[in-house]
């Protein structure tokens, strides 16, 4: 490519939309873990079109909190809130 050269961009919308949803799901998990477990250090993350993952520095077996996280996430989904992002914090609006 050269400077000021026009380019054609084609976005795979299905893939992009799936990545957007998985990214949001990872952000929900991150915020719930921060709020409920004394803000553990996030040491990594990965999002592909198949799955999203957030890694924390955690003593013990983190899978022990998965049922509680799933319950809280399902409550958020069931509440059907409108999301609004302000100043780095998610705020639900009825």
């Amino acid at each position: 490519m050269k400077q000021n050269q026009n380019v054609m961009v084609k976005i795979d919308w299905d893939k992009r939309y799936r990545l957007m949803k998985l990214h949001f799901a990872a952000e929900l998990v991150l915020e719930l873990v921060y709020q409920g477990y004394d803000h553990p250090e996030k040491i990594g993350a990965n999002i592909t079109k198949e799955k999203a993952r957030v890694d924390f520095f955690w003593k013990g077996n983190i899978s022990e909190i998965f049922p509680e996280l799933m319950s809280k996430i399902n409550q958020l989904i069931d509440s059907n809130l409108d999301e609004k992002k302000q100043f780095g914090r998610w705020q639900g609006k009825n």
Side-chain angles (χ1 to χ4, degrees), residues 4-16:
N4 297 322
Q5 178 182 355
N6 290 332
V7 295
M8 171 91 52
V9 176
K10 182 179 178 185
I11 296 173
D12 180 340
W13 178 247
D14 291 336
K15 179 180 178 181
R16 175 71 185 127

Side-chain angles (χ1 to χ4, degrees), residues 56 79 82 85:
F56 299 94
S79 67
D82 292 330
K85 187 172 182 182

Side-chain angles (χ1 to χ4, degrees), residues 21-31 45-47 52-54:
K21 291 191 300 183
L22 286 168
H23 181 257
F24 184 72
E27 291 289 339
L28 286 177
V29 168
L30 177 65
E31 190 61 31
N46 188 42
I47 301 171
R53 187 189 79 238
V54 182

